Amino acid sequence: MRCPTCGELMDCRRETYQYTGAGLDNVFLTDAQVCHCACGESMVGLPALPALHQRIGELLVAKPSLLTGPEIRFLRKNLRLNGQELAHWLGVDRATIYRWESGAQTVGKAHDRLLRLIYAAVKRMPTEHVIESFQGIEPRQKPAPPFEIPAGNGMIASLAS
Ligand SMILES: [Zn+2]
């Protein structure tokens, strides 16, 4: 493809691309089209973001250990809730949401499960599968395994540099 900045042909290849737009460090888009230009411009083919973010949410809901702060923040934002709204839904204080998301406090087992169920219900996921997976959740926070998601042939986004 042509570089949108200088018009020259870009050097494109298929590679695994770490997607950080979700605020998580374990999301990898496999077989993504990544293009570089001699002028310094870079472009990457991303899937449609609503579908990508919902897929990340589904993987988080099935995560076999307690949700971490960035994961809770991602689920909250993907539900389009502010901290006060999520606090209301979970029956806690706004400050508790902040402490979970900042890592100052570990989310409890019950609130972790309730957040997953709320996410599944709002996103119309089959909640019985979510409940079945609860028995496999380790009662401590661990990094999620790498989420490898096919990049597909989506739109090309410019990599901010
Ligand atoms: Zn260029």
Side-chain angles (χ1 to χ4, degrees), residues 117 126-135:
L117 262 185
T127 49
E128 61 270 28
H129 294 317
V130 177
I131 293 168
E132 281 169 17
S133 74
F134 281 173
Q135 60 183 351

Side-chain angles (χ1 to χ4, degrees), residues 3 5-8 37-41:
C3 173
T5 301
C6 71
E8 293 297 315
C37 180
C39 78
E41 178 72 275

Side-chain angles (χ1 to χ4, degrees), residues 92-118:
V92 300
D93 295 331
R94 168 71 188 89
T96 301
I97 303 292
Y98 178 77
R99 287 194 296 270
W100 290 343
E101 293 188 358
S102 68
Q105 182 181 338
T106 301
V107 65
K109 289 189 284 184
H111 286 124
D112 176 281
R113 282 160 167 75
L114 180 55
L115 175 54
R116 295 177 198 231
L117 262 185
I118 287 172

